[in-house]
């Protein structure tokens, strides 16, 4: 079975940094990964995505502050978050998308809370 486990969330002061990790298991072949977040009263949004080969994309609000990366040998994805702002407060979810014989499979982690406050 596929399992995605996030870690690294917590409370941090504005301007601080935090690193999130997502450990994946039960997957084979190539797959894309991404971080999504959802704040109270708002829709879930894509924060950053990364392909198997390492191509990345970011939502405008985090460009220049966040860095997404992955270690395929460890089946782990990371999100380095710098210069954090209160508006970054949300539950952050790990996402995996894969294709097998033209069928798309999607998996989600349980999420980890990030709170930016003084």
């Amino acid at each position: 079975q596929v399992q995605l486990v996030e870690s690294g969330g917590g409370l941090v002061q504005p301007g601080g940094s935090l690193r999130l990790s997502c450990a994946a298991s039960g997957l084979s072949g190539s797959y894309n990964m991404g971080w999504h977040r959802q704040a109270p009263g708002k829709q879930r949004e894509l924060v950053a995505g990364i392909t198997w080969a390492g191509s990345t994309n970011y939502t405008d609000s985090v460009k220049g502050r966040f860095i997404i990366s992955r270690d395929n040998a460890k089946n782990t994805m990371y999100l380095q978050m710098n210069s954090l702002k209160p508006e970054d407060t949300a539950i952050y979810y790990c996402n995996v998308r894969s294709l097998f014989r033209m069928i798309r499979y999607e998996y989600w982690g349980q999420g980890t809370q990030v709170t930016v406050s003084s």
Side-chain angles (χ1 to χ4, degrees):
Q1 76 285 167
V2 175
Q3 294 285 330
L4 303 177
V5 181
E6 301 101 331
S7 63
L11 175 64
V12 65
Q13 293 185 309
S17 297
L18 211 59
R19 190 181 77 155
L20 306 183
S21 298
C22 173
S25 62
L27 290 162
S28 62
S30 301
Y31 52 91
N32 296 335
M33 303 183 77
W35 289 99
H36 298 243
R37 68 184 180 188
Q38 187 166 26
K42 296 185 178 180
Q43 293 188 330
R44 188 173 298 188
E45 65 169 343
L46 174 67
V47 177
I50 184 167
T51 68
W52 177 263
S55 180
T56 62
N57 67 282
Y58 301 87
T59 190
D60 287 342
S61 64
V62 308
K63 288 181 179 177
R65 299 189 298 121
F66 291 8
I67 301 172
I68 188 171
S69 62
R70 65 191 292 171
D71 185 338
N72 290 342
K74 296 182 178 180
N75 296 125
T76 302
M77 173 181 65
Y78 307 94
L79 184 66
Q80 179 65 48
M81 304 184 292
N82 302 314
S83 302
L84 283 162
K85 305 174 180 179
E87 49 263 47
D88 294 318
T89 296
I91 301 175
Y92 285 71
Y93 297 91
C94 177
N95 172 257
V96 166
R97 291 181 177 182
S98 65
L99 287 172
F100 182 72
R101 295 188 175 185
M102 306 300 290
I103 303 297
R104 188 173 106 174
Y105 297 84
E106 188 169 45
Y107 307 95
W108 294 92
Q110 292 298 305
T112 184
Q113 177 72 48
V114 172
T115 302
V116 184
S117 177
S118 59

